[in-house]
Amino acid sequence: MAMDYFTDDRHENLRTEVRDFAEKEVRPQVARMEAERKAEFELAREIARRGWIGVTIPREFGGLGLGHVAKTVIVEELARVSGAVGAIAQASQLGVAKVLHYGSQAQRRTWLPKFATGECLPTIAVTEPESGGHVLGMAGTAVRDGDEYVLNGRKWFVGNSHIGDVHGVILRTGQGSRGLSAFLVETDRAGFRTGSPGSQSGLHGFSFGEIVLEDCRVPAGNRLGREGQGLDVAYSSSTLYGRINLAAVALGIHTAIVEDTARFTEERVLYGQPINQLPNITLKLGEMQSRLMTARLAVYHASHLLDHGRACDAELMNAKLINTEYALDSARNAMEIHAARGLQTEFGIERYLRDATHVYPPAGTSDVQRLRLGQVASGTYGKQWSAELSDLTSWAWSELNQRENPAEPPGGRGGQVLPMPLAG
């Protein structure tokens, strides 16, 4: 089987399909999205209708069942043309994760087919204005009242905040680390509203804003997992999906930076020759290419490990760290090569720099990744979410591989097709 950064023919056929869509349908919209700075509803729905939000959803529930490498291909190729559209695709994947990992079988049967067909766009909402990245500091509450919960609180920096249909919201139901719980909140419920869409300088077209809950009632059946399991929902979604997804967005942006800069150096003539003939320019291009190759290897390797059910929290962190840092470094090199032209919108470099900057904070800044990697090195890192939920992260890949290659067992899983255990 031919492999290219852990992809096979299925992945590369998918890449061709997504790249064709991105070039024909997304690229003509980028200038408008940059000018309007509004949440991009139509492109989000078109991506969902094509089934790409359901790439990690098993076929049993109507998804593509292609796994995390395929998800990385989709996000990378969309982000190569528009970081905002790549961000739209990756944010909904976090919404998929919470139901796939912690939903009851009834919740999976209800929601996963809707996600897979594009009928419903999911999100996850964790961060609050006062507590920021300190998840245990959140103050939003969910109070049990008979067969319902009454929800109150504000969440911001919610990916797809203004275009999502159902939000996975983490709120406080008690004290301490076991005092958080997760709920599915449909946007048409009384007491739910969207707040500010945000005013970020990059990723124009991606809504990264606020949702508000004011005595919003949801049935107890909308709770994900057990009461008190909200921290697990938040951390596992961020670790297994958030980091690798954002790494894929950064990789797509990084690819565009290198491609556009290489093209510019061929076309820009100085001293009677293309500037790619100048040693100092060639050196910078070489450094950018090296970073890109390393970044690509990191993100696809981590995705590959997820698809095989391996413990890979460290690889996921490292993929986020390397891809965000390297994309920003190459964007700065591109600015140096373009000089003042890099500030002009028609060259795209200033957009890439702004967009890459917006991938930096979510799912943990680089210092957060370094802190966790330091814990890995010293043997003090806690729960390995990739090992804890390996049956679910590898299930779709195992099913597909078994169907197409029955004599070839998936790596590390003994050829077994695993059932989907109920959370809780």
Side-chain angles (χ1 to χ4, degrees):
M1 181 172 59
M3 299 293 286
D4 180 15
Y5 286 102
F6 303 98
T7 63
D8 59 26
D9 289 343
R10 292 175 306 224
H11 299 120
E12 293 307 321
N13 289 337
L14 177 64
R15 184 187 303 280
T16 299
E17 178 186 349
V18 179
R19 180 168 290 203
D20 184 66
F21 170 82
E23 290 291 348
K24 293 179 179 177
E25 305 295 332
V26 177
R27 194 175 293 282
Q29 306 300 323
V30 171
R32 175 188 58 78
M33 291 162 60
E34 286 294 302
E36 292 180 354
R37 300 193 177 195
K38 295 179 181 177
E40 183 53 41
F41 184 86
E42 289 303 326
L43 282 176
R45 297 296 160 177
E46 185 57 35
I47 290 168
R49 283 192 289 266
R50 289 170 180 262
W52 294 337
I53 302 303
V55 65
T56 61
I57 296 175
R59 292 181 176 185
E60 174 189 350
F61 298 104
L64 296 181
L66 288 173
H68 293 271
V69 169
K71 169 169 59 71
T72 295
V73 168
I74 291 169
V75 174
E76 178 199 353
E77 288 299 327
L78 293 172
R80 173 182 163 271
V81 171
S82 166
V85 174
I88 288 170
Q90 73 81 24
S92 288
Q93 290 291 340
L94 283 115
V96 169
K98 66 184 185 292
V99 177
L100 187 60
H101 293 167
Y102 291 94
S104 66
Q105 197 70 352
Q107 287 170 331
R108 288 177 180 145
R109 290 194 183 104
T110 297
W111 291 106
L112 293 180
K114 294 180 180 180
F115 300 160
T117 61
E119 177 185 345
C120 180
L121 205 63
T123 80
I124 191 165
V126 179
T127 305
E128 296 184 357
E130 291 77 17
S131 56
H134 176 40
V135 176
L136 289 177
M138 71 172 60
T141 60
V143 178
R144 185 74 180 252
D145 183 18
D147 293 333
E148 296 181 317
Y149 282 88
V150 182
L151 314 181
N152 283 281
R154 295 171 60 211
K155 299 291 182 180
W156 70 350
F157 299 143
V158 178
N160 290 338
S161 56
H162 284 56
I163 63 174
D165 300 299
V166 59
H167 299 273
V169 184
I170 314 296
L171 294 163
R172 186 159 290 287
T173 50
Q175 300 299 313
S177 62
R178 295 292 96 185
L180 302 178
S181 301
F183 301 88
L184 293 169
V185 184
E186 302 93 331
T187 57
D188 59 358
R189 288 198 173 273
F192 174 92
R193 64 180 174 86
T194 54
S196 167
S199 58
Q200 63 265 26
S201 64
L203 296 182
H204 297 147
F206 176 58
S207 60
F208 194 45
E210 180 184 45
I211 66 171
V212 181
L213 303 166
E214 297 169 324
D215 292 331
C216 179
R217 289 181 172 268
V218 300
N222 276 31
R223 191 187 68 225
L224 284 168
R226 299 185 303 273
E227 188 168 296
Q229 209 171 12
L231 191 65
D232 292 351
V233 175
Y235 279 0
S236 64
S237 296
S238 176
T239 300
L240 299 183
Y241 281 73
R243 285 167 176 160
I244 198 72
N245 291 5
L246 290 162
V249 174
L251 177 61
I253 296 169
H254 196 172
T255 300
I257 291 168
V258 175
E259 289 178 348
D260 284 14
T261 304
R263 188 181 309 114
F264 175 78
T265 64
E266 292 174 5
E267 297 170 352
R268 172 71 171 136
V269 175
L270 194 63
Y271 312 122
Q273 61 182 341
I275 63 172
N276 63 4
Q277 300 300 309
L278 301 173
N280 62 321
I281 299 297
T282 304
L283 285 171
K284 287 186 185 299
L285 277 176
E287 187 172 15
M288 293 165 67
Q289 179 66 19
S290 176
R291 288 194 203 104
L292 180 60
M293 293 170 68
T294 302
R296 184 178 301 278
L297 183 62
V299 71
Y300 276 97
H301 178 233
S303 301
H304 175 77
L305 292 175
L306 268 182
D307 277 344
H308 283 72
R310 306 291 180 83
C312 58
D313 284 23
E315 285 81 2
L316 296 167
M317 300 168 205
N318 194 48
K320 169 68 161 54
L321 172 65
I322 284 179
N323 275 271
T324 52
E325 290 286 346
Y326 281 9
L328 287 167
D329 287 344
S330 288
R332 285 188 284 268
N333 281 158
M335 275 287 183
E336 293 164 352
I337 292 171
H338 282 75
R341 288 172 173 79
L343 303 174
Q344 296 179 304
T345 57
E346 57 264 38
F347 287 93
I349 301 303
E350 56 87 29
R351 172 167 65 90
Y352 300 146
L353 181 56
R354 287 187 285 107
D355 288 354
T357 300
H358 275 276
V359 182
Y360 183 86
T365 65
S366 292
D367 276 353
V368 170
Q369 311 309 326
R370 293 185 184 101
L371 175 66
R372 298 290 180 241
L373 287 168
Q375 292 170 345
V376 170
S378 63
T380 58
Y381 181 72
K383 183 184 292 187
Q384 279 261 10
W385 288 107
S386 49
E388 183 85 5
L389 299 172
S390 63
D391 288 355
L392 296 182
T393 58
S394 66
W395 188 86
W397 189 95
S398 298
E399 179 198 35
L400 184 65
N401 198 77
Q402 281 289 95
R403 288 181 180 180
E404 298 194 2
N405 303 289
E408 180 184 342
R413 306 301 296 175
Q416 180 184 14
V417 178
L418 300 168
M420 297 191 70
L422 295 180

